[in-house]
Coordinates of all heavy atoms in Angstrom, one line a residue:
E1321 N 59.3 -69.7 -18.6 CA 59.0 -70.9 -17.7 C 57.5 -71.1 -17.7 O 57.0 -72.3 -17.7 CB 59.5 -70.6 -16.3 CG 61.0 -70.8 -16.1 CD 61.4 -72.3 -16.3 OE1 61.3 -73.0 -15.3 OE2 61.8 -72.7 -17.4
N1322 N 56.7 -70.0 -17.6 CA 55.3 -70.2 -17.6 C 54.8 -70.8 -18.9 O 53.8 -71.6 -18.9 CB 54.6 -68.8 -17.4 CG 54.7 -68.4 -15.9 OD1 54.7 -69.2 -15.0 ND2 54.8 -67.1 -15.7
L1323 N 55.4 -70.5 -20.0 CA 55.0 -71.1 -21.3 C 55.4 -72.6 -21.3 O 54.7 -73.4 -21.8 CB 55.8 -70.4 -22.4 CG 55.3 -69.0 -22.7 CD1 56.2 -68.3 -23.7 CD2 53.8 -69.0 -23.3
T1324 N 56.5 -73.0 -20.7 CA 57.0 -74.3 -20.7 C 56.3 -75.2 -19.7 O 55.9 -76.3 -20.0 CB 58.5 -74.4 -20.3 OG1 59.3 -73.6 -21.3 CG2 59.1 -75.8 -20.3
H1325 N 56.0 -74.7 -18.5 CA 55.5 -75.6 -17.4 C 54.1 -75.2 -17.0 O 53.5 -75.9 -16.1 CB 56.4 -75.4 -16.2 CG 57.8 -75.9 -16.4 ND1 58.1 -77.2 -16.8 CD2 59.0 -75.2 -16.3 CE1 59.4 -77.3 -16.9 NE2 60.0 -76.1 -16.6
G1326 N 53.5 -74.2 -17.6 CA 52.2 -73.8 -17.1 C 52.5 -72.7 -16.0 O 53.2 -71.7 -16.2
R1327 N 52.0 -72.9 -14.8 CA 52.2 -72.0 -13.7 C 53.5 -72.3 -13.0 O 53.5 -73.3 -12.2 CB 51.0 -72.1 -12.7 CG 51.1 -71.2 -11.5 CD 50.0 -71.5 -10.6 NE 50.1 -70.8 -9.3 CZ 49.4 -71.0 -8.2 NH1 48.5 -72.0 -8.2 NH2 49.5 -70.3 -7.1
A1328 N 54.5 -71.5 -13.2 CA 55.8 -71.8 -12.6 C 55.9 -70.9 -11.3 O 55.5 -69.8 -11.3 CB 56.9 -71.5 -13.6
S1329 N 56.6 -71.5 -10.3 CA 56.7 -70.8 -9.0 C 57.7 -69.6 -9.1 O 57.5 -68.6 -8.3 CB 57.1 -71.7 -7.9 OG 58.5 -72.1 -8.1
G1330 N 58.7 -69.7 -9.9 CA 59.7 -68.7 -10.0 C 61.0 -69.1 -9.3 O 62.0 -68.4 -9.5
V1331 N 61.0 -70.2 -8.6 CA 62.2 -70.6 -7.9 C 63.3 -71.0 -8.8 O 64.5 -70.7 -8.6 CB 61.9 -71.7 -6.8 CG1 61.4 -73.0 -7.5 CG2 63.0 -72.0 -5.9
D1332 N 62.9 -71.7 -9.9 CA 64.0 -72.0 -10.9 C 64.6 -70.8 -11.5 O 65.8 -70.7 -11.7 CB 63.4 -72.9 -12.0 CG 63.1 -74.4 -11.5 OD1 63.1 -74.6 -10.3 OD2 62.9 -75.2 -12.4

Side-chain angles (χ1 to χ4, degrees):
E1321 284 291 277
N1322 284 330
L1323 290 171
T1324 300
H1325 298 300
R1327 179 187 173 192
S1329 69
V1331 65
D1332 284 18

